[in-house]
Amino acid sequence: MISRIWRNTHFLLAISISLFLIIASISGVILGIEALIDQTKPQAIYSLKSQSLKATMEALEDQFENVYEIVVTEKKFVVVQGITSNGFETFYVDPITGIKIKNVSPSNPFFNHVRSLHRSLFLKKTGRILVGIVAFLLFLLSITGMILLVKRLGGVMHFFLPLKENNKYRKVHITLGKWFFIPLLIIGISGAYLVIERFDGFSKKESKIKKYDAGEKKLNLNTLYLSDIKRVSYPFSNLKNDTYTIELKNRRVIIRQGDLSIVNDEIFHVHQILKNWSYYIHTGDTMVVGFNFEDVIEIYDCKVRNNVDIYKTKNIKLTEFRYRTINVIKVPGFETNEDLT
Amino acid sequence: MKTFFSFLLLYFLLLNSSMEEYVEVKCMLEIVNYRGEGAYIAISVIDKSEQYIKTVYVFGDDKSWFSEMKSFWRNLRENNLFLDKDFYLLVDAISGPTISGSERRLFQFKIPKNLFNSNYNLRIETAVEDKGYYVNDININLNPENLKKIYQGEGFINKIQFSAVDK
């Protein structure tokens, strides 16, 4: 009897969202192909994790008259807006050498349309809500399917055993269900989360803002790596009080030019980080490293400024920094005056 | 065929007229803190009767959302500027992505020198999907003095600052 309820739920869910799922899956495949194409383009940079912001800014300074903005996109492109010999331009660069790769061209209208279909079925707000509901139902569909499957197999223990089933279609359905249970779960829940976020599901939760006096706390651009960065906006003019805005994955820091002291440090609420994470895992545009709990700025505060340079030359990533600190410093050949512990 | 050639001539003239002198304007734009989709923004020079003379900058690269900027879109529609080849002649720079809440952008656009000091206005219109549309988020008379100040918009623009770039 209970099994029948599960079966009916599974069937009704499948019937009601099948059409939407077909649209979403086809458009999703096309978008996946787009992501794949983008990853093979020359402007996709794979050394973002070892490239510090400081080095990038210096390299760009050598190449261009004036830089306005550096953007690191989800597709690992480094985009620069600034003044070149041709005037104001937006272009992709190689962050290591600072050399321009090519100009940014408007995004492909075909993929834009597909994206619009995938997100909103061309129905704007209504469409987005609809797609969100469908994504959540997909999540439920895969759960009910899994419950039915486990019942059918006679327990979780039998999950990986060979299947005894004579009907060809059923056999395919069960096998595919086994394989794609986890991906479907992830796609459903991350898609639904993206829609909820989009409609201000958590608008009451504000991000934390800390303010600092001039010179109180400084930011070391050597310990910031491009993989952590989303956007760097340069100061408007040469005035001393003009600021850089550096947007990281989990926070936004505003620093004065000159002494690089922090004006304003805004830590995003966890739902924003979750949203980034959902986006990454849903689109596969980048590796799933959305959770960035490393406290980049605080590390700099504990008097290790000199040693950070050593790390840089040894090419040790910031993420490994905390845990390796003591071991690495004791390696013969490194001489430091400061006691790290 | 005749019309075709006259069109060619028109474009030729348009292209040639764009060879004239420009003023480069550096601009910093800060958006108010809101959540949701990014804002579509069009920066255009208009005359006293609200006719569009030239659009100098657009934020947002998906043209299917341009209709959210109603006035700007009406202008495109009335002048039949749907096709890319027509459209990009008028809009020098499509910047790429939209701007989201509380973000800041630094960019630069060109305004033909002859549009200054002659009763033209600089209009910045902003639109966010299901959050609203402001025709005159910023609307200032186009003269060098006005482009030295800092403004606060009435819609999604929190702060905007201009400065003419010396050549």
Side-chain angles (χ1 to χ4, degrees):
Chain A
M1 184 61 203
I2 294 173
S3 172
R4 196 160 170 191
I5 292 173
W6 285 120
R7 190 172 295 278
N8 285 343
T9 325
H10 190 67
F11 178 69
L12 282 176
L13 280 171
I15 284 287
S16 56
I17 63 174
S18 57
L19 199 66
F20 295 108
L21 282 184
I22 290 168
I23 295 174
S25 58
I26 292 171
S27 56
V29 165
I30 296 171
L31 292 176
I33 291 170
E34 187 203 14
L36 211 63
I37 294 170
D38 282 338
Q39 276 170 17
T40 58
K41 285 184 175 166
Q43 62 264 31
I45 310 289
Y46 287 95
S47 54
L48 294 177
K49 277 198 156 183
S50 56
Q51 181 65 13
S52 78
L53 179 60
K54 184 82 182 289
T56 311
M57 283 164 83
E58 279 166 1
L60 293 175
E61 225 164 82
D62 291 344
Q63 293 288 333
F64 307 110
E65 272 177 47
N66 212 333
V67 178
Y68 286 180
E69 283 188 341
I70 306 172
V71 183
V72 183
T73 69
E74 287 103 0
K75 298 182 171 167
K76 298 185 170 188
F77 300 164
V78 181
V79 181
V80 169
Q81 274 199 356
I83 310 284
T84 66
S85 47
N86 304 331
F88 180 69
E89 282 187 312
T90 307
F91 46 87
Y92 300 111
V93 294
D94 176 359
I96 297 161
T97 56
I99 292 171
K100 173 176 163 180
I101 298 171
K102 66 173 192 181
N103 277 355
V104 174
S105 46
S107 54
N108 188 323
F110 170 68
F111 286 125
N112 277 343
H113 273 104
V114 175
R115 193 170 294 115
S116 181
L117 174 67
H118 189 78
R119 287 181 181 176
S120 65
L121 309 167
F122 301 127
L123 295 173
K124 298 197 173 176
K125 194 177 177 177
T126 349
R128 283 176 202 274
I129 295 173
L130 216 58
V131 170
I133 293 171
V134 168
F136 185 67
L137 293 183
L138 173 65
F139 174 72
L140 294 183
L141 183 70
S142 40
I143 285 182
T144 50
M146 193 36 64
I147 291 169
L148 279 174
L149 182 59
V150 168
K151 277 181 189 292
R152 154 89 169 64
L153 295 173
V156 186
M157 305 308 285
H158 299 265
F159 196 83
F160 295 105
L161 296 180
L163 187 69
K164 284 174 202 150
E165 172 63 63
N166 294 326
N167 186 323
K168 201 171 69 186
Y169 297 107
R170 273 191 194 167
K171 192 168 183 177
V172 169
H173 190 103
I174 290 172
T175 319
L176 289 180
K178 274 183 183 177
W179 285 359
F180 292 108
F181 170 61
I182 291 169
L184 283 177
L185 218 58
I186 291 172
I187 288 172
I189 203 72
S190 60
Y193 189 85
L194 284 171
V195 174
I196 296 170
E197 223 295 327
R198 160 72 182 66
F199 284 106
D200 282 0
F202 313 94
S203 58
K204 277 173 193 151
K205 309 252 168 73
E206 291 292 319
S207 42
K208 272 188 275 174
I209 301 181
K210 284 190 218 161
K211 286 192 190 317
Y212 296 96
D213 293 332
E216 191 184 340
K217 199 174 181 186
K218 290 181 186 176
L219 185 68
N220 187 358
L221 301 183
N222 276 324
T223 60
L224 276 181
Y225 290 85
L226 288 189
S227 53
D228 299 321
I229 285 169
K230 283 176 87 176
R231 173 185 295 275
V232 178
S233 181
Y234 277 61
F236 185 67
S237 69
N238 293 327
L239 290 175
K240 216 180 166 188
N241 275 339
D242 270 359
T243 53
Y244 287 95
T245 305
I246 300 180
E247 204 175 305
L248 306 175
K249 290 207 167 114
N250 59 347
R251 58 175 28 170
R252 183 187 291 127
V253 191
I254 298 176
I255 56 172
R256 285 181 195 85
Q257 66 178 336
D259 66 347
L260 302 182
S261 64
I262 299 173
V263 179
N264 206 329
D265 180 8
E266 180 181 353
I267 302 164
F268 296 145
H269 194 266
V270 84
H271 73 76
Q272 211 148 345
I273 297 163
L274 268 178
K275 179 197 160 191
N276 288 343
W277 189 75
S278 297
Y279 185 83
Y280 296 143
I281 204 165
H282 195 92
T283 60
D285 260 349
T286 185
M287 283 192 305
V288 186
V289 286
F291 280 108
N292 183 10
F293 288 125
E294 291 298 326
D295 214 350
V296 181
I297 292 153
E298 254 134 73
I299 286 173
Y300 176 61
D301 267 358
C302 48
K303 49 174 184 178
V304 290
R305 193 186 312 194
N306 297 331
N307 300 317
V308 171
D309 293 335
I310 297 172
Y311 282 97
K312 209 184 134 202
T313 52
K314 287 293 285 178
N315 238 342
I316 292 170
K317 281 173 265 165
L318 182 66
T319 39
E320 297 165 25
F321 178 62
R322 255 192 198 160
Y323 312 105
R324 285 222 190 156
T325 304
I326 294 147
N327 295 337
V328 175
I329 284 310
K330 281 179 183 166
V331 171
F334 287 110
E335 288 167 15
T336 79
N337 298 325
E338 280 175 308
D339 184 14
L340 265 173
T341 51
Chain B
M1 207 57 190
K2 206 175 170 189
T3 42
F4 176 70
F5 277 115
S6 62
F7 261 110
L8 266 187
L9 187 68
L10 188 69
Y11 284 135
F12 182 73
L13 286 176
L14 263 176
L15 280 173
N16 260 12
S17 63
S18 68
M19 293 296 174
E20 63 197 298
E21 275 191 272
Y22 283 105
V23 178
E24 299 258 1
V25 181
K26 185 176 176 180
C27 181
M28 188 183 76
L29 178 61
E30 245 180 53
I31 300 294
V32 295
N33 197 359
Y34 72 89
R35 276 236 262 306
E37 296 293 300
Y40 273 79
I41 299 173
I43 304 175
S44 329
V45 180
I46 54 171
D47 66 8
K48 275 285 168 251
S49 56
E50 306 228 324
Q51 291 298 309
Y52 282 73
I53 306 298
K54 189 170 179 61
T55 298
V56 291
Y57 209 90
V58 176
F59 280 101
D61 58 356
D62 187 353
K63 249 170 42 185
S64 52
W65 290 103
F66 280 5
S67 54
E68 297 271 308
M69 300 185 279
K70 298 186 183 74
S71 175
F72 174 67
W73 183 245
R74 203 180 307 129
N75 164 56
L76 291 186
R77 208 179 43 203
E78 279 168 7
N79 296 308
N80 257 328
L81 301 170
F82 294 117
L83 296 174
D84 282 4
K85 64 174 178 25
D86 305 333
F87 178 75
Y88 287 109
L89 276 179
L90 269 105
V91 179
D92 287 330
I94 301 269
S95 78
T98 53
I99 319 185
S100 302
S102 78
E103 283 190 351
R104 185 180 97 162
R105 290 292 153 83
L106 202 59
F107 60 101
Q108 190 162 319
F109 53 83
K110 291 189 259 183
I111 301 179
K113 223 169 194 170
N114 57 2
L115 296 181
F116 276 81
N117 293 325
S118 46
N119 252 338
Y120 290 119
N121 275 21
L122 189 68
R123 165 189 279 178
I124 305 182
E125 54 196 294
T126 56
V128 175
E129 191 189 340
D130 67 59
K131 286 229 156 48
Y133 164 65
Y134 295 88
V135 188
N136 292 317
D137 209 333
I138 300 282
N139 191 346
I140 52 173
N141 192 269
L142 193 59
N143 62 48
E145 282 310 305
N146 270 349
L147 287 188
K148 283 176 185 159
K149 297 177 196 157
I150 300 175
Y151 297 90
Q152 187 177 16
E154 54 184 53
F156 295 106
I157 296 176
N158 187 29
K159 184 179 148 190
I160 189 161
Q161 187 174 7
F162 303 100
S163 82
V165 176
D166 297 322
K167 274 267 159 177

